[in-house]
Each structure stands twice: as C-alpha cells, then as structure tokens.
Amino acid sequence: MTGSPGNFFEWIIFLIQQYHSYYLQGLLTTLETSLAGTLLGCLMGFVIGIIQATDIKNQTNPVKRALLFIPWVISKIYVTIFRGTPMIVQAMVIYYGFSQMFGLDLPSFQAAILIILLNSGAYMAETVRGGINSIDPGQVEGAKALGMNYVPMMIHIILPQTLKIIAPQIGNTFVANIKDTSVLNVISVTELFYITKVAAGTYFRMFEAYTITAAIYLTLTLIFNFLLRVVEIYLAGKDSYEVLPISHEVPTEG
C-alpha cells in the first residue's frame, strides 16, 4: 500500500485515526453490557445467596422446611452449573439454545446482558452467602430475642452489614466483567474485542490493533480499581473516633 505507515507507532496512530469511532462504539458496548449485567447479577446473587444461607435443617415446621428446600436445591444447581462452566460456553448455549429450543431469537446485546447476569449472579451468590455467614450469630439471636421475624432481621440487620463486607467483591466482579465481555464476540456482540478483530483484519496488523485494545482495557481497569478503592475507604469509615465523655448528671424535669 503506497504511503502506508512504516513502523509500529505509525501503525498505532493510523489505526486510531481510521477506527477511533469504532473503538469508541466497542468501548461503550463493553461498559453498557458489563455494568447492566453486573448490577442485575448482584441483585440475583443477593436473592440466591439469601436462599443458600437459610438454615433449613433447624426449621421445625416440616411444610416450611419442604418449601424452603425446593428453591435451595434449584439455586444450588444454578450456582454449580454457572460456576463450573466458562462464560464463552454459556454464551453459545444460551444464545443458540434459546433459538433452537424455544424459537426465540434474542438480540446479541440483550443476550450479552443475560449471560453476564447469570454468570455474575452465580459468583455473587456464593459471595453473599459467605458474607451473611460471617455476621456474628449473636446478632441473629439478639434480633430473635427482640421478636424480629426473618425478613425484617435480614433487611435491617444482616444485609446492610453484608453489603459493606462484600462491596469490594462487587467492584471486582464489575472489573472482571469488563474484561470477560471479550468472549461475547462469539455471538457477534459488537464489544471492544469484536471491533478490534475488524480493525486488525482490514490491514492484517494484529499486533498494533490488539495493543490499542490492551491499552484501553488496562486504562479502564486502573480507573475503576481506583474508584472502587475510594468507595472501599469511604465504607470502611474513619480510622479513629472521638470518644465522648459519659455524663453522670441526672437530667432534671422542667
């Protein structure tokens, strides 16, 4: 090609000039799918994690025990399958399986969110279960002594503490999903990796094209890791607190 770039850096600049709008499109798709999938996956993970953390053996009512056992088994199977298989395989099974078995042709963008949702939900379920089990059992006993039922106890006592404990893992899941969206190119999701294949194949400059993509992924990871660290510090609270003196004065009326 006459007048083509000569060295590595010239090719980098050339590809950015030619495909910057495509790289931006792939970047936005990557962020949209990873963010939506992570948020929805966290919600599912909380539900599944609560089910997994429920103590079924100590339920005295046999009917209630049976009703709790069914969703516990279903959630256990779901977590086992999605934690035990790669996301790229899940993408192929879900995207093409929905089409062949149910005649439902999901748009690739919606399928991507569904795949990330299901994958993240399985991992977050185990994180939530571990977070709930890490809460001091004395708090549960105290809540029961105050007459609190299971649902109010979870909402007002257990889950707020669990969220604080697992907040770093939620952030790590989001960062991991940003990188893992690259496997969704197998179902034609126009995320960053898919766009890079187009740019690399046009001029057969694989090294340069994927170097640009690596730099973009690295920049995203560094930015979000920094933001998550700030959030983690904020949730941790102050290193020290001011101890107020205890007043022994008896308040007077009037």
Side-chain angles (χ1 to χ4, degrees), residues 167-220:
Q169 184 57 39
I170 294 176
N172 292 336
T173 300
F174 173 59
V175 172
N177 283 337
I178 290 177
K179 295 177 288 185
D180 289 344
T181 53
S182 59
V183 305
L184 299 177
N185 74 92
V186 298
I187 59 172
S188 302
V189 179
T190 55
E191 42 71 52
L192 189 56
F193 188 86
Y194 183 91
I195 294 297
T196 307
K197 289 200 304 181
V198 175
T202 302
Y203 297 101
F204 298 100
R205 306 301 301 191
M206 308 298 176
F207 182 37
E208 292 84 355
Y210 285 104
T211 298
I212 296 172
T213 301
I216 295 173
Y217 278 123
L218 178 60
T219 302
L220 288 175

Side-chain angles (χ1 to χ4, degrees), residues 36-177:
T38 301
L39 290 176
L40 294 173
C42 285
L43 292 176
M44 174 175 280
F46 263 91
V47 174
I48 301 299
I50 292 171
I51 294 173
Q52 292 284 316
T54 302
D55 190 358
I56 301 176
K57 295 181 180 179
N58 291 332
Q59 296 294 330
T60 56
N61 189 329
V63 176
K64 187 176 181 180
R65 185 188 304 171
L67 292 175
L68 289 174
F69 182 73
I70 295 173
W72 187 89
V73 171
I74 294 174
S75 63
K76 191 69 175 179
I77 294 173
Y78 156 70
V79 170
T80 301
I81 291 175
F82 279 88
R83 280 173 59 90
T85 55
M87 184 186 286
I88 190 170
V89 177
Q90 296 165 14
M92 300 292 283
V93 170
I94 291 173
Y95 184 70
Y96 294 106
F98 269 57
S99 176
Q100 293 183 14
M101 295 184 64
F102 307 109
L104 181 60
D105 294 325
L106 284 175
S108 57
F109 182 81
Q110 296 178 13
I113 295 177
L114 176 62
I115 292 160
I116 297 173
L117 182 165
L118 294 173
N119 185 273
S120 301
Y123 284 93
M124 285 307 305
E126 288 296 288
T127 301
V128 171
R129 183 186 63 81
I132 292 174
N133 291 336
S134 69
I135 303 299
D136 186 355
Q139 298 191 38
V140 177
E141 297 300 325
K144 291 179 179 179
L146 293 173
M148 295 186 70
N149 293 325
Y150 183 76
V151 174
M153 178 183 67
M154 292 297 295
I155 294 176
H156 297 292
I157 296 178
I158 305 301
L159 290 184
Q161 297 181 73
T162 302
L163 179 60
K164 184 176 180 178
I165 293 171
I166 69 171
Q169 184 57 39
I170 294 176
N172 292 336
T173 300
F174 173 59
V175 172
N177 283 337

Side-chain angles (χ1 to χ4, degrees), residues 243-249:
V243 179
L244 298 177
I246 301 176
S247 175
H248 298 284
E249 296 181 2

